[in-house]
């Protein structure tokens, strides 16, 4: 199947396809719930002087585990995904660069201009220094540090790009076109105001409030790429390019709150 053609599926095939598009993202997000559970259970202790790294910085092993689980699920369900046609890739790259620039720019201006916190935080003008820190796995000359960085990039550029686009654009965008019927018969990239607003707003609200503006702009651009190219591959590429640039920016500036 491509973005231009649809195929009839049996109820069993349609159900399997739906599971394949929904489960990876939901499992990916569910793993994140382990962190607060570790704190409640007393395993996580924010004291690096008295406790080993895997207890005072459990995200250093939890996020790689999350990444591996998501990759296994993607490979398990791979036959259910329709990424073609491979077109509009230049547009996807441009969209990724523009979208992530809009996302990063307010925080960059906030830092460079020495701004104070205010209501403009909702537009992204806020500090981004707090976040996942690979230094907690070891110093920058440690193999553990670079392994942590590598896994972070795999998570951002590969896993997140696939699981999010497979769900948001690959599934939900179609589901909203015919949620009471056979939504898999809806062609990929078909436009409707309902799907635009629901998919884009849910994507926005899935992020922190300080990221709402950037996510709204980015989500709108991705929706436009989906409609224009009729290609899930283009959407995945756009997300991967955006997250790659974001990761490089974080490494260059230390603005850990972005990743």
């Amino acid at each position: 199947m491509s973005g231009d053609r649809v195929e009839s599926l049996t109820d069993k095939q349609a159900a399997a396809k739906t599971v394949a598009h929904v489960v990876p993202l939901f499992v990916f997000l569910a793993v994140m719930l382990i962190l607060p559970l570790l704190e409640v259970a007393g395993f996580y202790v924010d004291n690096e002087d008295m406790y080993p790294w895997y207890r005072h910085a459990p995200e250093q092993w939890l996020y790689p585990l999350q990444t591996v689980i998501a990759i296994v699920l993607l490979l398990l369900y791979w036959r259910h995904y329709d990424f073609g046609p491979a077109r509009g890739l230049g547009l996807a790259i441009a969209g990724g660069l523009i979208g992530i620039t809009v996302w990063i720019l307010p925080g960059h201006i906030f830092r460079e201009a020495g701004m104070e916190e205010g209501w403009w935080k909702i537009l992204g003008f806020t500090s981004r220094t707090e976040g996942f820190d690979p230094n907690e796995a070891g110093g920058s000359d440690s193999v553990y540090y670079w392994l942590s960085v590598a896994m972070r990039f795999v998570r951002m550029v590969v896993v997140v790009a696939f699981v999010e686009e497979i769900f948001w654009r690959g599934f939900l965008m179609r589901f909203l076109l015919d949620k009471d019927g056979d939504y898999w018969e809806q062609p990929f990239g078909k436009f409707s105001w309902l799907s635009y607003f629901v998919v884009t707003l849910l994507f926005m609200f899935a992020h922190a409030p300080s990221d709402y503006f950037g996510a709204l702009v980015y989500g709108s651009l991705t929706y436009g790429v989906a409609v224009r190219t009729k290609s899930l591959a283009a959407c995945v590429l756009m997300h991967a390019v955006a997250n790659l640039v974001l990761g490089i920016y974080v490494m260059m500036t230390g603005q850990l709150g972005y990743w």
Side-chain angles (χ1 to χ4, degrees), residues 35-101:
L35 269 179
L37 292 177
L38 291 176
E39 186 172 4
V40 171
F43 181 87
Y44 165 66
V45 183
D46 189 14
N47 188 329
E48 61 181 306
D49 295 325
M50 295 183 61
Y51 292 89
W53 66 270
Y54 57 84
R55 291 197 61 182
H56 74 76
E59 66 275 7
Q60 295 293 335
W61 57 265
L62 185 61
Y63 289 160
L65 176 63
Q66 178 193 43
T67 299
V68 171
I69 291 173
I71 290 174
V72 169
L73 288 173
L74 288 171
L75 293 175
L76 178 65
Y77 293 133
W78 193 259
R79 67 185 184 278
H80 295 289
Y81 305 138
D82 310 303
F83 293 103
R87 64 185 178 205
L89 303 186
L91 178 64
I93 293 172
L97 294 175
I98 295 170
I100 205 60
T101 298

Side-chain angles (χ1 to χ4, degrees), residues 91 94-100 102 169 196 200 214-227 235 238:
L91 178 64
L97 294 175
I98 295 170
I100 205 60
V102 172
R169 259 61 65 169
Y196 164 69
T200 304
L216 177 63
V217 173
Y218 180 85
S220 297
L221 289 173
T222 312
Y223 189 93
V225 167
V227 171
C235 296
M238 177 177 170

Side-chain angles (χ1 to χ4, degrees), residues 2-222:
S2 75
D4 296 313
R5 296 181 290 111
V6 295
E7 60 180 321
S8 296
L9 302 173
T10 65
D11 290 344
K12 184 177 180 180
Q13 290 172 328
K17 196 175 184 70
T18 298
V19 168
H21 282 69
V22 173
V23 167
L25 178 59
F26 276 71
V27 170
F28 182 84
L29 296 175
V31 174
M32 299 290 290
L33 299 177
I34 296 177
L35 269 179
L37 292 177
L38 291 176
E39 186 172 4
V40 171
F43 181 87
Y44 165 66
V45 183
D46 189 14
N47 188 329
E48 61 181 306
D49 295 325
M50 295 183 61
Y51 292 89
W53 66 270
Y54 57 84
R55 291 197 61 182
H56 74 76
E59 66 275 7
Q60 295 293 335
W61 57 265
L62 185 61
Y63 289 160
L65 176 63
Q66 178 193 43
T67 299
V68 171
I69 291 173
I71 290 174
V72 169
L73 288 173
L74 288 171
L75 293 175
L76 178 65
Y77 293 133
W78 193 259
R79 67 185 184 278
H80 295 289
Y81 305 138
D82 310 303
F83 293 103
R87 64 185 178 205
L89 303 186
L91 178 64
I93 293 172
L97 294 175
I98 295 170
I100 205 60
T101 298
V102 172
W103 200 314
I104 294 171
L105 191 58
H108 185 77
I109 294 173
F110 180 89
R111 179 170 64 93
E112 293 297 316
M115 295 174 63
E116 298 291 334
E117 293 281 356
W119 66 264
W120 41 83
K121 180 178 181 178
I122 195 67
L123 298 177
F125 292 92
T126 186
S127 174
R128 301 302 185 113
T129 56
E130 298 296 323
F132 178 84
D133 187 358
N135 281 294
E136 293 182 338
S140 59
D141 59 345
S142 165
V143 65
Y144 299 109
Y145 170 87
W146 290 109
L147 181 60
S148 179
V149 170
M151 288 300 294
R152 194 65 178 179
F153 271 87
V154 171
R155 181 180 185 270
M156 293 175 64
V157 179
V158 180
V159 171
V160 171
F162 274 101
V163 299
E164 289 203 6
E165 293 309 319
I166 285 170
F167 175 77
W168 294 117
R169 259 61 65 169
F171 166 72
L172 190 58
M173 191 172 166
R174 274 177 166 144
F175 176 78
L176 291 166
L177 293 173
D178 189 15
K179 56 184 180 298
D180 296 321
D182 192 349
Y183 42 87
W184 289 119
E185 292 188 359
Q186 297 293 326
F188 179 84
K190 182 178 179 181
F191 174 82
S192 84
W193 285 112
L194 175 64
S195 68
Y196 164 69
F197 282 116
V198 173
V199 171
T200 304
L201 291 177
L202 286 178
F203 176 79
M204 181 185 80
F205 288 125
H207 293 82
S210 56
D211 288 321
Y212 281 173
F213 176 71
L216 177 63
V217 173
Y218 180 85
S220 297
L221 289 173
T222 312

